[in-house]
Amino acid sequence: MLIHEYLAAAATDRPDKVALVSGGQRRTYAELQRSADALRAELQGIGVVVGDRVVVIVPNSVAAVIAIFGVAAAGGCLVTMDPSTPPERLAQVIDHCTPTAIVVARDRMPLLVAAHEVAKHRGSPIVLDDEGTVVDALHCDVNHPPPEIAADALVAIIFTSGSTGGPKGVTLTHRSVDSVVATVGEYLHHGADDVVLSVLQLAFGYGLLQLLVTFRHGGRLVLQSGYAFPFDLVKLIAVEEVTGFAGVPTLFALLLRLENISDDMFASVRYLTNAAAAMPQSLLPKMRSMFPAAQIYLMHGQTECLRTSFLPPDEIDTRPASIGRGMPGVDMWLEDDAGAPVPKGGEGELVVRGANVMLGYWNDPVASAAVVRPTDDPHVRVLRTGDLFRTDDDGNFYFVARRDDIIKSRGQKVSPLEIEELLYARPEVIEARVIGVPDDILGNAIRAEVVLAEGDQFDETTIKRYLRRHLEDYKVPHQIVAVDALPKSSSGKILRRGTTNS
């Protein structure tokens, strides 16, 4: 299916069903379809044709959902931007992808104006109000016929940070996105009765998948803009009778710290998913206790391929550190630095083969050729992920680290994840990250940063003593500091490359 056909099909099959709950608004499938059609016509009216890039700067809201389906229906290639993006970064993306149009929320117009002061390229702005209605529409023609769109047409460019700090636009087709949406919906056993709570930004792959999987199966999406107030999410889960909930370790850790939560508030939740960052094993028993009816799916994915694998929930007791095996239609294996296959039980870079793999990076053939290679099937590609994994004898995969995150200290390679797992097991630690700090003698000194639970005291000596009981000497951090907060992405993933105040 094409992405916008998810909404169109649901609007035909169940027009009066509430499809979206967001910002106090409740919209049916038919209402969303009418609004998306109006935006499609407006885009076509200003000259958008199949393949044109359309930047979308709209926070999680009814308007954001309308923008996504309206742009896709017009044949546009979505360039979804984090609404908190700095003007200079937005200008860089605009110049890189040269959009024909820019769909922007009314309250984000100052951001676009500031970006246009720096950018060399201009796209025609289309402003949406809080309800997703085009403001001051001049070109709208509801009779404008929808374009013919091929399955291999570009549907999205999702920008991710490169090692040089410049924009790297991951290019995805309708076919590649649909292959992932269909498979994820299948293994999560999605249906029209599901109610999915999403707090993740639609501008990024993990959040976008929550919307698409839900609408492809005619369910209801409860869309929030983040999780600054965790107890409000608890109440929302109970009121909306949420059945599916996608999160990141930071969010789950915050929920687990809440007190006075009744046993029945999460009774409706049948599944939880985690994919954006490795799940600390110490959280899993607590999550099971808080969500007694939920199955927990540990998954792996990255923007360049959206999703690669999942661990069946009934295997979580035997291999809680694993992300399982390749999902249907996806092949996975490990290669060494020379590109040779790594046997079972070994460690190497994860390589992925499937229709889920991106075409490449937008207008960056050199970077694309370094990580993507074609196959005999024009719809299938191979991706070198840059993620280091190990496997067990049964072929299950275990995340070790991003290749760029490995710390080389005293001539040894250290995985931050191994140390962070131990820190998360400490009762006083809510969040943790381990990074390398350049050192003239060691190469890199290992620094651990922790956020403590309210009221708990920090004792570096005690934590170091604890780590020495579980780690080789060269892996014990040279410095452990308590910080007020750790740098995070818009999806709540803790960033390796960002500064904190000690």
Side-chain angles (χ1 to χ4, degrees):
M1 292 179 72
L2 303 179
I3 301 311
H4 54 282
E5 291 176 344
Y6 302 167
L7 173 58
T12 299
D13 295 341
R14 42 184 68 86
D16 298 326
K17 177 176 180 175
V18 174
L20 180 65
V21 178
S22 183
Q25 300 184 57
R26 304 179 78 83
R27 293 293 187 90
T28 66
Y29 275 111
E31 290 169 336
L32 290 175
Q33 181 63 47
R34 284 194 292 271
S35 296
D37 272 341
L39 178 57
R40 170 190 60 77
E42 177 71 11
L43 288 164
Q44 291 180 276
I46 64 172
V48 171
V49 297
V50 175
D52 282 358
R53 278 74 60 206
V54 179
V55 169
V56 175
I57 316 167
V58 186
N60 278 13
S61 60
V62 169
V65 173
I66 291 168
I68 287 168
F69 287 105
V71 171
C77 175
L78 287 155
V79 183
T80 51
M81 296 299 300
D82 182 344
S84 65
T85 298
E88 296 80 6
R89 170 73 169 177
L90 177 57
Q92 195 177 26
V93 169
I94 290 172
D95 286 340
H96 189 59
C97 70
T98 59
T100 301
I102 299 177
V103 179
V104 58
R106 182 157 47 188
D107 66 354
R108 290 305 191 274
M109 271 303 295
L111 168 61
L112 179 57
V113 170
H116 270 168
E117 291 177 355
V118 181
K120 299 175 183 177
H121 179 83
R122 296 288 189 275
S124 299
I126 295 180
V127 183
L128 300 184
D129 64 16
D130 293 342
E131 296 187 351
T133 302
V134 178
V135 177
D136 298 326
L138 298 177
H139 308 282
C140 188
D141 175 7
V142 293
N143 295 316
H144 203 109
E148 293 290 330
I149 305 171
D152 291 314
L154 281 183
V155 69
I157 300 175
I158 302 177
F159 278 86
T160 182
S161 296
S163 59
T164 61
K168 293 175 68 178
V170 172
T171 56
L172 300 167
T173 67
H174 283 269
R175 187 190 302 274
S176 58
V177 175
D178 183 58
S179 73
V180 175
V181 172
T183 302
V184 171
E186 181 179 355
Y187 71 68
L188 291 179
H189 307 291
H190 247 275
D193 293 332
D194 275 304
V195 180
V196 175
L197 173 61
S198 180
V199 300
L200 307 170
Q201 284 290 340
L202 296 179
F204 302 106
Y206 195 12
L208 183 61
L209 282 178
Q210 310 316 308
L211 166 65
L212 298 181
V213 170
T214 303
F215 276 32
R216 195 181 198 275
H217 293 85
R220 182 165 83 245
L221 184 73
V222 181
L223 182 63
Q224 293 290 102
S225 293
Y227 47 90
F229 304 100
F231 193 75
D232 289 346
L233 295 183
V234 173
K235 292 187 289 184
L236 197 59
I237 289 171
V239 170
E240 296 291 340
E241 297 184 323
V242 167
T243 63
F245 183 25
V248 293
T250 298
L251 172 56
F252 290 127
L254 287 174
L255 289 175
L256 293 172
R257 292 283 175 173
L258 295 177
E259 299 178 352
N260 302 319
I261 304 296
S262 62
D263 294 340
D264 61 348
M265 295 194 79
F266 298 126
S268 63
V269 180
R270 70 170 186 83
Y271 77 79
L272 305 171
T273 68
N274 179 78
M279 176 70 76
Q281 294 180 55
S282 59
L283 294 184
L284 292 174
K286 302 172 187 176
M287 289 170 61
R288 277 183 157 172
S289 177
M290 179 172 273
F291 296 89
Q295 292 186 313
I296 301 174
Y297 289 81
L298 303 180
M299 309 182 299
H300 173 264
Q302 58 178 218
T303 308
E304 286 83 349
C305 54
L306 292 178
R307 185 76 70 249
T308 63
S309 68
F310 73 99
L311 180 72
D314 58 3
E315 297 183 27
I316 202 167
D317 285 334
T318 55
R319 45 182 68 92
S322 175
I323 49 90
R325 297 169 292 278
M327 65 187 192
V330 175
D331 297 319
M332 296 166 52
W333 65 91
L334 302 183
E335 292 183 1
D336 61 21
D337 291 342
V342 174
K344 288 182 180 180
E347 180 179 309
E349 181 179 3
L350 178 67
V351 180
V352 175
R353 181 184 186 276
N356 58 323
V357 171
M358 67 174 180
L359 294 180
Y361 296 114
W362 177 257
N363 273 351
D364 196 341
V366 175
S368 300
V371 297
V372 178
R373 60 180 184 258
T375 69
D376 293 337
D377 185 335
H379 307 309
V380 173
R381 291 159 294 279
V382 173
L383 173 73
R384 295 188 66 94
T385 65
D387 284 344
L388 298 179
F389 276 80
R390 63 179 177 84
T391 56
D392 61 22
D393 292 339
D394 295 322
N396 295 285
F397 290 80
Y398 298 77
F399 180 72
V400 175
R402 285 289 300 170
R403 182 182 291 278
D404 293 342
D405 291 339
I406 288 289
I407 302 170
K408 295 181 180 178
S409 182
R410 303 185 195 177
Q412 302 283 349
K413 293 182 179 179
V414 179
S415 167
L417 181 62
E418 182 180 5
I419 305 170
E420 289 166 356
E421 282 276 5
L422 292 169
L423 291 171
Y424 272 109
R426 299 282 305 178
E428 72 271 33
V429 174
I430 295 179
E431 296 177 346
R433 77 166 182 173
V434 174
I435 58 176
V437 179
D439 184 275
D440 291 339
I441 297 175
L442 301 172
N444 283 283
I446 301 172
R447 172 184 167 96
E449 299 171 343
V450 296
V451 177
L452 301 179
E454 185 176 354
D456 281 341
Q457 299 297 312
F458 174 67
D459 187 335
E460 182 180 12
T461 301
T462 298
I463 296 178
K464 277 192 174 182
R465 187 181 302 121
Y466 157 76
L467 292 176
R468 286 193 180 98
R469 292 199 300 268
H470 299 278
L471 295 170
E472 297 90 335
D473 286 345
Y474 69 88
K475 295 180 181 177
V476 176
H478 302 90
Q479 182 185 32
I480 305 175
V481 297
V483 298
D484 294 331
L486 292 171
K488 298 184 182 70
S489 68
S490 298
S491 64
K493 182 179 179 180
I494 294 173
L495 300 174
R496 298 282 184 198
R497 293 163 184 81
T499 57
T500 54
N501 296 321
S502 58

